[in-house]
Every structure is written in structure tokens, then in C-alpha cells.
């Protein structure tokens, strides 16, 4: 690639690819490539930039992230939060440390938070965001499991740390989600979503923990020019700090062996280590590059690779129809455990790896935890993608969704879909039937006891057979039947959600039921155009809903199910429809209501609508900071739309009249 035009073309490609990956990771809490792949592409870009002396303005080597999403207020950090230069080479790390006393600590994989205390009280919590501007999450930070609400130090204190959710808590939360396809992918994504909730009650239930790793400012405190003393002082103030070891270049190996040996046992995610000079003045004197501070360095685990042979691709159908490819390979030892399988995620990745049965592949554990295929050495090519679903033997089709090729089963009666569908049907937010786990449902379906949702309510006639099944007895069988009996009385939104209509969650079901008067007969005959009148119901959701009820067999099954159910009456409308025909937009923090959703609920039950953006159809913008120069305020002023405070809104509710 010596031709300069070719080099520039490749640099632009790398910037775009890495930009997409970073945007997905930091803004959307999803991963589109492995850490290994990202690091390789990043290093390739760095090498090309050094070779050409050219750095593109959007290069990730000079930027530190992406703008925060709009749902939470933004705030500029007092001190920019830069990324750290990194290496996977221990000798490079040793060279950085040299003879300097250095703190070597875990590089936790969560969400970085900046806390500010004044007069001994937590005043503010802000996410890292793009390193310059973050999102204000103060209310959520207050319900972290281990953050002190008050400290003895009365001056201004600013510190940084990582919010994380432990593996054990992550697994517990996922176990409570009946729909396997809806479970969280990893602790980092769960933590990010939990910290950035608009309702901190949800955050509190996720048991987020905070570990301090850096002190930015503490007015009047004397730390004897030592980062170690800062960490000790933070512990004295009641903070949990990230575990660290004091090292020099000579003692690095012992500490590295300690961390490497412990990483697999940790209950928290970590993607490496951080080295920070203890001498504060010396470290600060080094300054920083455009992207990195010079007083710290990150070490990422050099993923242990093992070469093995791909023996087969196992295709695993899901409730949604997606058939996931899973690589099965000759078992190998990695990071202290035996692994023999790794998810390949989709056909696009298979094609990229040119993955064929019998290929010699190199596998590793991403962050020493999740098995991944890192490289295909023989690249024989993708062959034998199944034409039939392995569960039902119906047609399997390759479809392109969001620029990704995946395999789907389109048979509505596929047993794999049935099992997942039944699991959703009995889940807590749906019919809420205790005692019907996925394994039990699979057993009942296999024995022919249930084939339709309504059959669950006829299980009494199989009592004798159920009692004889493994895991059941008289008491457990009776408990199950009692739970089924209790579930006969339900609400229409729960029933609609329980049917498993693609793209229809409980919240969408509530919106649709409310819009059309809780009339099930009406719901079953809606058109796409009619559904589009409901707030938040776009063409995809409308299409899924209409298509579901256009299926004759599904309607017959629903008719059978309805013979067993008692649908409760629709909620009575107790409020005058004073907001009928009015559109509201809500932005910023609220003080009197629990959250913005609570304000939205008050508007909707009085006939109004709440939208996400200010347009010519907006009647009121609710913002406690009436004079701010936010984009929504500017748009409202431009369109001459009234900007009202929360108190103004409450006065509207009290007076039951609209003021000019």
C-alpha cells in the first residue's frame, strides 16, 4: 500500500469503521466488533498516520468519544477526561514505569462517573460523555449501592471512578428476564443503561457500585505529593477505591502475575490495568498530548490465543425466528478453563472470517471472559448454510437487516418459536404464571400437553401425568394449577403483550389499548393507517400488529384462549380531558414529579400528547430552565411556542383551565 492515494483511502476507511464502532459502543450500548478487531484496526490507523504525517479531523486517535445522547442534561467537565495511551506489551509498560513509584490498578469495564461534593454532600454526578461534556446523572448516583451521601471533608471535592455491575448481579437480572432474546449482552451495557435511566428507582434495583480511581480536586487537603495518599484519603472519606499495587519497573512482574491470576476470579468486568505515577507534581509536569495524559498508561490483556479445529456450526433458533450460528471446535484450554464453542453472531461475520468446517482457527476470550474466534488460518469459505430450520425443518432464509446478513426461520409454528413464545406468555409482565419455567414448558410441549396458549388453562386434566413427571409432586403441581387459576383474570394490555407480537412490548400494548378504548374486537381489525394515529406507533410496529391479527390460525388460537380468560374492565377516565388536541414536549430535569414519564402520564390521561421534538404542531414546551439556550428552547422561541415551567404546568392541572 505504498501508493499515497491508496493509503489515504485506507485511512478514511479505517476512520469510518472505527467511528461506527465507537458510536455504537459509547452512544448506543452495543458492540459491532470485538476488542481484538478494534485494536488491530486502530493500530493500523496509527501506523498509517505516522507514515504519512496526516491525521484526519475525525480520526479516533485525536478524539475521545462521541456526543452524549439528549435524554439527560449535559454539563462540561471542569477538567477534560482524556483516554489513555495503551499497550499489550509488558515491556512497553515497564519502560513507561521505569524507576518511578507507580500505582498499578484494575482498568474496570463500566461507565466512568465524575462526582462533586461540596460541604460534605454529594452535589453532582456526571458521566464521562465525550470527555469534555457529560450527562448529569446525580439522582441515579445517589442510589448506587456504595456511594457515601455525606463525607467529613467540607471543601470542594471532585473525583472520578467507574460505575460497574458485578457479574453475579448481571446474571441474576438476566435470570429474571423470561424472554431469552431480551436479556442483556454484558455487564457494561447493563450498567450504562442503568446509570442513564430517567427513573432512579430502576437504577436502585440494578445494584450499581462505584469504585474511585482518581482524585481531581480537594480544596486545602495535603496529600504529600502522592497519588497513593490520595487513594488512602478517599478511603478515609468512605469511598471504595479500585484495587491497586505499588510497583516500579523492577517489581512489575510480581504485580502483573497477581492481577493476571485474579482476573478470572473477579466478580467485576475488567479489560486491563492502569499505571499511574505516584508523584503528582512530576506527573502533572509532563502535560499531555492531544489525546493522552503523559502521567498514566493503560495495559490491555494480550488475549491468550489457542489454535484449534472448527468441527461444526450449530444453528440455534430463537423465538424471533433468528437462527444464530455457534462455532463448535475441538476443546482447548483458555484462561484456566476448557472452551469448545463460541457465538459467531451472524452470517456476515462468518463470511468475513471465510469460516468453513475443518478450518484451523485461533480462539480467545474477549476480556478473558467471552470465547471468540480471533482468526481463521485456512479460510476454506462459508458452505452449507442450512436451507431448513433445525427445529421445524421449515424453510430458512437469509435476510439483510441493518446491513447484516442473518438466517431466519419464517415458520410461525416452529417449536423453537413456540417454546420461546410460551416463555414470554407466562412471564411476569404478561400472564404472570409462576411455576412454568422454559424447561417445564419444553417438557409439557414435548409430552403433547400444550400446543396452544389456551391449553395452559386446561392442564388440570393432566394432573395425574404431571404429578408423575420428574421435578413435580402433588404440592408443586397444585401450586402450578393455583397460579394458572389466578392468571385467568387479566388486563387487556398484558394479554396483547403476552401474545408475542413482534415489536410489541408492554408499553406499546398499553398505548394501543388506550388509544382504541380497550376494545379487543376493534384491535383485531385495525389497519396500519389507524394504528399510526397512536403516539409512538410507527410503520414497523403497526405492520407487525396488523399482520399478526390477519393470520386465521392465530385468531382461532386467540378465540380458544379467550374462552379461559376474564378480561378486566378498562380503566375509568377520571380526569377531564383538558389537554385534548394539545401537544407537549418535556425536557430537562423535573422537581415535583418522580420523572418526566410521570409528567407524560398526567398529560396523556387528560387527553394530551407528548412528543420528543419541538415542531410547528407543539403547543407547549415544559422546561424548568425557561431561559436556557438549549436547542429545544431556541426552536420553541423561533416558532413562538410557550415555554412553561413545571410550576406553570401544575397550575394548569390545579385550575383545570388553560391560560394564554
Amino acid at each position: 500500500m505504498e501508493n499515497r492515494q491508496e493509503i489515504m483511502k485506507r485511512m478514511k476507511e479505517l476512520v469510518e469503521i472505527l467511528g461506527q464502532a465507537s458510536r455504537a459502543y459509547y452512544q448506543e450500548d452495543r458492540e459491532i466488533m470485538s476488542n481484538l478487531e478494534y485494536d488491530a484496526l486502530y493500530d493500523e490507523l496509527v501506523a498509517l498516520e505516522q507514515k504519512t504525517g496526516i491525521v484526519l479531523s475525525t480520526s479516533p486517535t485525536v478524539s475521545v468519544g462521541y456526543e452524549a445522547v439528549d435524554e439527560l442534561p449535559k454539563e462540561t467537565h471542569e477538567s477534560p477526561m482524556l483516554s489513555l495511551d495503551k499497550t499489550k506489551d509488558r515491556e512497553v509498560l515497564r519502560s513507561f514505569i521505569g524507576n518511578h513509584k507507580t500505582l498499578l490498578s484494575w482498568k474496570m469495564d463500566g461507565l466512568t462517573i465524575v462526582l462533586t461534593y461540596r460541604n460534605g454532600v454529594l452535589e453532582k454526578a456526571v458521566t464521562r460523555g465525550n470527555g469534555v461534556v457529560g450527562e448529569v446523572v446525580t439522582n441515579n448516583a445517589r442510589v448506587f449501592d456504595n456511594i457515601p451521601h455525606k463525607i467529613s471533608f467540607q471543601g470542594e471535592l471532585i473525583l472520578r471512578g467507574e460505575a460497574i455491575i458485578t457479574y453475579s448481579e448481571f446474571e441474576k437480572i438476566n435470570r429474571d428476564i423470561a424472554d431469552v432474546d431480551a436479556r442483556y449482552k454484558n455487564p457494561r451495557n447493563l450498567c450504562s443503561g442503568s446509570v442513564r435511566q430517567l427513573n432512579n428507582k430502576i437504577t436502585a434495583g440494578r445494584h450499581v457500585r462505584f469504585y474511585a480511581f482518581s482524585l481531581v480536586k480537594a480544596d486545602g487537603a495535603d496529600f504529600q505529593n502522592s497519588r497513593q495518599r490520595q487513594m488512602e484519603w478517599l478511603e478515609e472519606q468512605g469511598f471504595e477505591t479500585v484495587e491497586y499495587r505499588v510497583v516500579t519497573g523492577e517489581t512489575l512482574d510480581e504485580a502483573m502475575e497477581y492481577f493476571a491470576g485474579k482476573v478470572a476470579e473477579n466478580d467485576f468486568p475488567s479489560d486491563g490495568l492502569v499505571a499511574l505515577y505516584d508523584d503528582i507534581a512530576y506527573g502533572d509536569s509532563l502535560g499531555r498530548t492531544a489525546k493522552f495524559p503523559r502521567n498514566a498508561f493503560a495495559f490491555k490483556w494480550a488475549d491468550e490465543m489457542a489454535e484449534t479445529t472448527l468441527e461444526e456450526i450449530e444453528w440455534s433458533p430463537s423465538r424471533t425466528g433468528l437462527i444464530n450460528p455457534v462455532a463448535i471446535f475441538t476443546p482447548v484450554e483458555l484462561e484456566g478453563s476448557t472452551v469448545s464453542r463460541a457465538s459467531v453472531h451472524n452470517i456476515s461475520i462468518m463470511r468475513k472470517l471465510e469460516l468453513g468446517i475443518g478450518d484451523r482457527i485461533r480462539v480467545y476470550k474477549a476480556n478473558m471472559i467471552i470465547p471468540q474466534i480471533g482468526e481463521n488460518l485456512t479460510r476454506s469459505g462459508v458452505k452449507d448454510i442450512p436451507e431448513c430450520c433445525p427445529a421445524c425443518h421449515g424453510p430458512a432464509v437469509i435476510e439483510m437487516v441493518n446491513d447484516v446478513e442473518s438466517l431466519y426461520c419464517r415458520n410461525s409454528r416452529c417449536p423453537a418459536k413456540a417454546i420461546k413464545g410460551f416463555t414470554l406468555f407466562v412471564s411476569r409482565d404478561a400472564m404472570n404464571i409462576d411455576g412454568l419455567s422454559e424447561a417445564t414448558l419444553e417438557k409439557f410441549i414435548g409430552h403433547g400437553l400444550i400446543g396452544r396458549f389456551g391449553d395452559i388453562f386446561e392442564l388440570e386434566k393432566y394432573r395425574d401425568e404431571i404429578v408423575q413427571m420428574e421435578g413435580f409432586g402433588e404440592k408443586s403441581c397444585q401450586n402450578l394449577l393455583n397460579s394458572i387459576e389466578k392468571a385467568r383474570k387479566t388486563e387487556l394490555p398484558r394479554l396483547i403483550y403476552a401474545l408475542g407480537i413482534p415489536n410489541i412490548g408492554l408499553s406499546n400494548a398499553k398505548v394501543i389499548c388506550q388509544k382504541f378504548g380497550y376494545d379487543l374486537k376493534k384491535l383485531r381489525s385495525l389497519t396500519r393507517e389507524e394504528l399510526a394515529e397512536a403516539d409512538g406507533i410507527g410503520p414497523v410496529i403497526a405492520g407487525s400488529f396488523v399482520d399478526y391479527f390477519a393470520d386465521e390460525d392465530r385468531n382461532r388460537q386467540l378465540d380458544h384462549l379467550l374462552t379461559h380468560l376474564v378480561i378486566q374492565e378498562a380503566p375509568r377516565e377520571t380526569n377531564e380531558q383538558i389537554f385534548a388536541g394539545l401537544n407537549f414536549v418535556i425536557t430537562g430535569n423535573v422537581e415535583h414529579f418522580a420523572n418526566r414519564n410521570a409528567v407524560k402520564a398526567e398529560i396523556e390521561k387528560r387527553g394530551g400528547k407528548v412528543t420528543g421534538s419541538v415542531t410547528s404542531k407543539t403547543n407547549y414546551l415544559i422546561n424548568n430552565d425557561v431561559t436556557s439556550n438549549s436547542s429545544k428552547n431556541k426552536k420553541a422561541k423561533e416558532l413562538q411556542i410557550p415555554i412553561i415551567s413545571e410550576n406553570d404546568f401544575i397550575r394548569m392541572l390545579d385550575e383545570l383551565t388553560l391560560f394564554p
Side-chain angles (χ1 to χ4, degrees), residues 185-205:
K185 303 303 180 187
N186 55 57
R188 183 202 175 275
N189 287 7
L190 173 58
C191 181
S192 179
S194 301
V195 171
R196 298 158 71 200
Q197 287 287 331
L198 296 179
N199 182 351
N200 68 354
K201 182 178 180 181
I202 297 174
T203 308

Side-chain angles (χ1 to χ4, degrees), residues 370-417:
I370 305 167
Q372 300 279 321
I373 297 177
E375 186 180 2
N376 184 1
L377 301 175
T378 48
R379 306 182 79 87
S380 65
V382 176
K383 297 181 287 288
D384 302 324
I385 295 175
E387 296 180 356
C388 299
C389 170
C392 69
H393 306 294
V397 294
I398 298 173
E399 296 183 8
M400 182 75 75
V401 179
N402 295 327
D403 298 323
V404 172
E405 272 190 304
S406 298
L407 189 66
Y408 291 89
C409 170
R410 293 311 185 197
N411 176 14
S412 61
R413 297 170 182 81
C414 177
K417 291 184 183 180

Side-chain angles (χ1 to χ4, degrees), residues 156-322:
E156 182 181 40
L157 168 64
I158 302 176
L159 69 150
R160 297 170 180 167
E162 199 79 353
I164 60 106
I165 287 179
T166 62
Y167 284 120
S168 54
E169 186 64 27
F170 167 74
E171 291 164 0
K172 178 178 179 295
I173 290 170
N174 265 349
R175 280 197 302 270
D176 291 338
I177 300 174
D179 182 359
V180 175
D181 297 324
R183 291 175 179 171
Y184 296 97
K185 303 303 180 187
N186 55 57
R188 183 202 175 275
N189 287 7
L190 173 58
C191 181
S192 179
S194 301
V195 171
R196 298 158 71 200
Q197 287 287 331
L198 296 179
N199 182 351
N200 68 354
K201 182 178 180 181
I202 297 174
T203 308
R206 302 283 176 78
H207 298 289
V208 180
R209 301 187 67 80
F210 175 86
Y211 292 90
F213 60 66
S214 175
L215 191 154
V216 179
K217 181 180 181 182
D219 288 342
D222 181 11
F223 301 113
Q224 294 93 49
N225 194 37
S226 169
R227 296 288 183 189
Q228 182 180 4
R229 177 59 195 139
Q230 286 183 339
M231 298 290 275
E232 293 169 348
W233 183 85
L234 285 172
E235 291 175 359
E236 292 167 5
Q237 295 297 318
F239 295 97
E240 290 191 54
T241 61
V242 62
E243 182 184 15
Y244 64 89
R245 289 285 186 272
V246 177
V247 301
T248 63
E250 290 184 358
T251 61
L252 175 63
D253 291 327
E254 182 181 350
M256 291 286 284
E257 294 308 313
Y258 166 79
F259 283 114
K262 195 172 180 183
V263 66
E265 304 171 5
N266 286 341
D267 196 27
F268 58 84
S270 167
D271 56 1
L273 303 171
V274 173
L276 175 68
Y277 290 143
D278 179 68
D279 189 319
I280 298 173
Y282 173 73
D284 290 347
S285 72
L286 298 175
R288 68 189 193 194
T289 67
K291 183 175 174 66
F292 307 123
R294 290 194 172 99
N295 66 340
F297 211 90
F299 175 85
K300 297 196 72 174
W301 303 115
D303 301 297
E304 180 184 340
M305 288 276 193
E307 187 175 322
T308 183
T309 300
L310 179 66
E311 297 182 349
E312 66 172 302
I313 295 290
E314 178 184 284
W315 296 89
S316 175
S318 68
R319 181 181 69 84
T320 62
L322 177 65

Side-chain angles (χ1 to χ4, degrees), residues 303-570:
D303 301 297
E304 180 184 340
M305 288 276 193
E307 187 175 322
T308 183
T309 300
L310 179 66
E311 297 182 349
E312 66 172 302
I313 295 290
E314 178 184 284
W315 296 89
S316 175
S318 68
R319 181 181 69 84
T320 62
L322 177 65
I323 305 176
N324 299 292
V326 179
I328 310 299
F329 45 81
T330 305
V332 290
E333 288 291 318
L334 278 178
E335 313 292 355
S337 65
T338 302
V339 295
S340 60
R341 55 195 293 127
S343 175
V344 192
H345 303 295
N346 53 60
I347 292 174
S348 291
I349 292 177
M350 288 181 64
R351 294 198 196 284
K352 188 175 181 179
L353 289 168
E354 298 180 63
L355 207 56
I357 306 303
D359 280 347
R360 293 296 291 172
I361 59 175
R362 300 185 73 212
V363 296
Y364 71 103
K365 283 187 177 180
N367 294 339
M368 305 180 80
I369 300 295
I370 305 167
Q372 300 279 321
I373 297 177
E375 186 180 2
N376 184 1
L377 301 175
T378 48
R379 306 182 79 87
S380 65
V382 176
K383 297 181 287 288
D384 302 324
I385 295 175
E387 296 180 356
C388 299
C389 170
C392 69
H393 306 294
V397 294
I398 298 173
E399 296 183 8
M400 182 75 75
V401 179
N402 295 327
D403 298 323
V404 172
E405 272 190 304
S406 298
L407 189 66
Y408 291 89
C409 170
R410 293 311 185 197
N411 176 14
S412 61
R413 297 170 182 81
C414 177
K417 291 184 183 180
I419 292 170
K420 303 297 183 183
F422 275 104
T423 303
L424 172 64
F425 182 82
V426 303
S427 64
R428 182 175 55 190
D429 288 337
M431 301 305 293
N432 194 22
I433 302 176
D434 290 331
L436 281 178
S437 66
E438 185 169 324
T440 300
L441 286 166
E442 189 171 0
K443 190 180 300 182
F444 286 178
I445 291 172
H447 282 71
L449 307 189
I450 54 178
R452 303 167 296 178
F453 291 145
D455 294 340
I456 289 176
F457 297 92
E458 300 175 2
L459 282 173
E460 169 70 39
K461 63 186 179 183
Y462 299 109
R463 174 192 285 269
D464 292 343
E465 186 173 345
I466 292 172
V467 168
Q468 299 302 317
M469 288 183 179
E470 184 179 351
F472 275 94
E474 287 288 351
K475 185 175 181 180
S476 57
C477 179
Q478 187 58 51
N479 288 341
L480 171 60
L481 295 175
N482 291 343
S483 181
I484 291 172
E485 189 63 30
K486 184 179 177 182
R488 290 181 188 273
K489 187 175 182 180
T490 190
E491 301 164 354
L492 186 56
R494 282 179 172 269
L495 172 60
I496 296 298
Y497 171 58
L499 295 177
I501 304 172
N503 305 306
I504 303 295
L506 183 57
S507 60
N508 287 333
K510 288 178 179 178
V511 168
I512 294 171
C513 289
Q514 183 178 33
K515 173 66 178 177
F516 298 101
Y518 292 83
D519 183 344
L520 180 56
K521 184 177 180 180
K522 172 69 173 174
L523 295 183
R524 295 172 75 170
S525 61
L526 287 172
T527 65
R528 285 172 167 79
E529 292 72 25
E530 289 172 321
L531 268 168
E533 297 175 9
D535 285 337
I537 306 302
V540 174
I541 295 176
S544 295
F545 196 90
V546 171
D547 289 347
Y548 184 90
F549 289 108
D551 185 287
E552 290 184 10
D553 185 61
R554 286 172 177 154
N555 277 296
R556 283 194 294 270
Q557 291 197 42
L558 178 55
D559 288 336
H560 174 251
L561 172 62
L562 289 171
T563 64
H564 297 287
L565 301 180
V566 176
I567 308 297
Q568 294 176 314
E569 291 184 12

Side-chain angles (χ1 to χ4, degrees), residues 20-32:
Q20 290 177 356
S22 292
R23 194 154 47 244
Y25 186 81
Y26 287 110
Q27 281 188 282
E28 301 165 13
D29 300 328
R30 62 188 180 93
E31 297 179 26
I32 61 176

